Amino acid sequence: MLLLSEDQTRHALPFPALIDALEEIFRSGCVMPTRHHHDMEMSGEPDATMLLMPAWVPGEYAGVKVVNVMPGNSARGLPAVAAQYLLSSAKTGEMLALIDGGELTARRTAAASALAAKYLAREDAGHLLIVGTGRLAPNLVAAHMAVRPIKQVTIWGRSKEKAADLARHVGATYPVSVTVAGHLEDVLGKADIISAATLSNEPLIKGALVKPGAHVDLVGAFKPSMRESDDDLVQRADLYVDTRDGCLVEGGDVVQPLQAGVIRAEDVKADLYDLCRGTHPGRQSDDAVTFFKSVGAALEDLAGAMLAYKTASK
């Protein structure tokens, strides 16, 4: 059985190829049972979450990801997400690969955001605002650069030290101009793409401050109790999601305004299935504000695992 470390998984999943792989699996589909979602009580810190995410392409590949999300790890200097992915043959049942789930998750999540931006962000989007400084942040920069001509990156985080460290890393790695924002409200109206990846329970992205034509990418807030955007944004923007089944149940940025009667389920214009299959054209005008909410889906992990296995086996 192939064993892929974090570094090996990263090298096996270049963003252009990974974005293409996600687009193909959203277009062709696979079997994806409802994922198991379990809260794990923690003493003296926020509750943790265990996720079990199976999916398979009949007769080809099957896989399952086991994820532990530990918000308290930030105080320990550890990543918030720990995960592994087991890929098998869906024809023989043979175990084919054990893939680093944290790196797979980070890269497929960023790639899904970039896939959405391919359909929803303006073609000339050049200024990217990253909200959050965790593991996803540098991946979101690289992924969006694969689909849009990003020349300027602004970074905001609650920790100024972490934001500065991330800015140095991005500036040393990519051919972009990088700045650190002192106050989020000062930069929300300047960015062409706003990509938020936080564990916030309170809205950070204020719709009244977002400029016309901007694309807002909401990656965090994966539980109904969490939220990164306010009601002004969901009322103003054209709403899109990665999967309707997931976001209408789990994504707080959609669930909370739904429960409050601010929006209706029919206000969600399309998901990635619709966009990738051409049943919805995506962005409707240069001035539209587009809103994309993702909570992740097992077919994204399966697509990434299949790509990593095939790449590493060459």
Side-chain angles (χ1 to χ4, degrees), residues 2-6 8-9 12 84 97-100 308-309 312:
L2 187 66
L3 300 177
L4 295 184
S5 67
E6 179 179 323
Q8 290 169 324
T9 300
Q84 292 290 337
L98 186 65
I99 300 164
D100 184 84
Y309 176 69

Side-chain angles (χ1 to χ4, degrees), residues 127-293:
H127 183 184
L128 172 65
L129 169 60
I130 298 291
V131 180
T133 58
R135 183 175 190 171
L136 270 173
N139 288 286
L140 287 165
V141 174
H144 280 106
M145 287 183 67
V147 298
R148 286 297 181 264
I150 304 298
K151 300 299 181 187
Q152 181 179 358
V153 176
T154 301
I155 295 168
W156 179 87
R158 297 187 191 278
S159 166
K160 299 298 182 266
E161 181 180 349
K162 290 181 180 179
D165 288 343
L166 177 59
R168 282 190 288 271
H169 169 74
V170 170
T173 307
Y174 306 109
V176 294
S177 171
V178 187
T179 57
V180 175
H183 299 283
L184 183 57
E185 292 80 4
D186 294 339
V187 293
L188 283 174
K190 299 176 181 178
D192 301 315
I193 299 175
I194 301 168
S195 189
T198 73
L199 296 175
S200 179
N201 287 311
E202 301 295 332
L204 297 170
I205 312 302
K206 308 296 177 61
L209 300 179
V210 175
K211 73 177 185 179
H215 172 61
V216 181
D217 168 46
L218 302 172
V219 181
F222 63 92
K223 296 170 69 174
S225 60
M226 298 169 144
R227 196 166 183 187
E228 294 180 310
S229 62
D230 66 1
D231 285 348
D232 284 344
L233 181 62
V234 295
Q235 288 178 306
R236 177 186 178 195
D238 292 341
L239 307 180
Y240 300 87
V241 297
D242 59 350
T243 65
R244 292 178 188 272
D245 289 346
C247 284
L248 294 179
V249 175
E250 297 180 14
D253 289 287
V254 176
V255 172
Q256 290 185 35
L258 272 174
Q259 292 176 340
V262 174
I263 60 172
R264 302 168 302 164
E266 309 89 81
D267 291 327
V268 175
K269 291 182 175 292
D271 61 13
L272 284 178
Y273 290 108
D274 301 318
L275 294 173
C276 294
R277 294 172 180 176
T279 58
H280 190 285
R283 172 170 283 273
Q284 302 292 290
S285 72
D286 284 346
D287 290 335
V289 173
T290 51
F291 166 115
F292 175 71
K293 175 60 191 163

Side-chain angles (χ1 to χ4, degrees), residues 100-115:
D100 184 84
E103 190 64 20
L104 173 63
T105 300
R107 294 186 79 80
R108 67 81 158 151
T109 302
S113 289
L115 176 59

Side-chain angles (χ1 to χ4, degrees), residues 63-77:
V64 62
K65 185 173 74 173
V66 180
V67 186
N68 294 323
V69 182
M70 318 293 290
N73 274 358
S74 60
R76 290 182 279 267

